[in-house]
Amino acid sequence: MDPDFNFIRVNRAYAEVDEHEPDFYPGKNHFALFPNEENELIFKAVVNTFEPYSVYARPFEYAQHPERGVTYWDWNLQPVKDPDGSVGGLVLSLMNVTERVRTQEAVKAERQRFFDVLETLPAYVVLLTPDYHAAFANRVFRERFGESHGLRCFEFLFGLNEPCEGCETYTVLKTGAPHEWEWKGPDGRVYSVFDFPFRDT
């Protein structure tokens, strides 16, 4: 584009996204085709400051085609300087990351549903890391034993400086198999504990 945001040349990939041929664009103004006040301010700032601009997963909606919905783009706007040091043009590079963003949103929603299920279980559920920290604890666990506040399990449950004697929880890390045992909690109650090895992604 020239410094006034008129197209000089586009590649075929850019044109096909908007369902045109590359020769459709030269001479037309970017913001006449894609009006967006916020983006126009960004373009002007690049011209005025000579500083490139990059953004990741920026949402975009075609004003003329709302039926296309919102898409997401990584884009980079690079000033091109003339020999006298002024901005002679701009190069806009775009990458459509809509599928990646939607996949991330779907995973996030699925994870939230999973956490919601764990929060409503009447049994306590806690995910312990190999260094004895509680990476996750559901509502029943927190209500019964309190928050860990970053302390290790033996510290916040029993006020100890080292792992509890006779604790069988970490047997699963040695065997890789589920393990069932009984545990006397800090409230004096005896609990049936079902430990399972957890392998994250």
Side-chain angles (χ1 to χ4, degrees), residues 158 181-191:
F158 296 102
W181 60 295
E182 289 189 345
W183 174 69
K184 186 174 182 180
D187 55 3
R189 296 181 179 180
V190 176
Y191 296 87

Side-chain angles (χ1 to χ4, degrees), residues 1-3 8 47 78-82 86-91:
M1 286 173 278
D2 66 22
I8 298 172
V47 170
Q78 192 78 30
V80 178
K81 293 184 180 180
D82 280 340
S86 63
V87 173
L90 297 167
V91 176

Side-chain angles (χ1 to χ4, degrees), residues 51-69:
E51 293 292 329
Y53 178 83
S54 295
V55 68
Y56 299 97
R58 186 176 183 84
F60 175 77
E61 188 170 5
Y62 284 89
Q64 297 93 336
H65 298 285
E67 74 280 359
R68 295 183 182 180

Side-chain angles (χ1 to χ4, degrees), residues 3-18:
D4 296 317
F5 318 129
N6 299 305
F7 287 103
I8 298 172
R9 181 170 29 169
V10 305
N11 68 1
R12 181 162 294 279
Y14 184 98
E16 288 178 349
V17 167
D18 198 36

Side-chain angles (χ1 to χ4, degrees), residues 29-164:
N29 187 272
H30 181 280
F31 293 104
L33 295 177
F34 311 111
N36 185 299
E37 291 183 5
E38 186 178 356
N39 287 351
E40 189 169 0
L41 290 174
I42 292 170
F43 278 51
K44 288 178 178 178
V46 171
V47 170
N48 293 332
T49 64
F50 300 168
E51 293 292 329
Y53 178 83
S54 295
V55 68
Y56 299 97
R58 186 176 183 84
F60 175 77
E61 188 170 5
Y62 284 89
Q64 297 93 336
H65 298 285
E67 74 280 359
R68 295 183 182 180
V70 178
T71 53
Y72 296 87
W73 301 81
D74 290 350
W75 52 279
N76 176 270
L77 191 62
Q78 192 78 30
V80 178
K81 293 184 180 180
D82 280 340
D84 64 1
S86 63
V87 173
L90 297 167
V91 176
L92 175 64
S93 304
L94 298 158
M95 179 176 291
N96 189 340
V97 294
T98 303
E99 185 176 344
R100 184 187 73 197
V101 170
R102 289 178 179 165
T103 299
Q104 290 171 341
E105 289 175 346
V107 169
K108 183 179 179 181
E110 187 63 31
R111 183 180 293 118
Q112 186 58 54
R113 280 192 291 271
F114 177 64
F115 285 152
D116 289 345
V117 169
L118 295 181
E119 286 287 278
T120 59
L121 287 176
Y124 78 72
V125 178
V126 61
L127 174 62
L128 292 173
T129 62
D131 62 356
Y132 298 91
H133 287 89
F136 170 83
N138 71 344
R139 177 184 53 81
V140 171
F141 183 92
R142 297 192 308 272
E143 289 177 351
R144 190 162 295 173
F145 303 118
E147 299 282 352
S148 67
H149 299 293
L151 298 174
R152 291 171 292 183
C153 58
F154 53 85
E155 292 171 328
F156 81 87
L157 288 172
F158 296 102
L160 300 175
N161 296 320
E162 56 186 29
C164 304

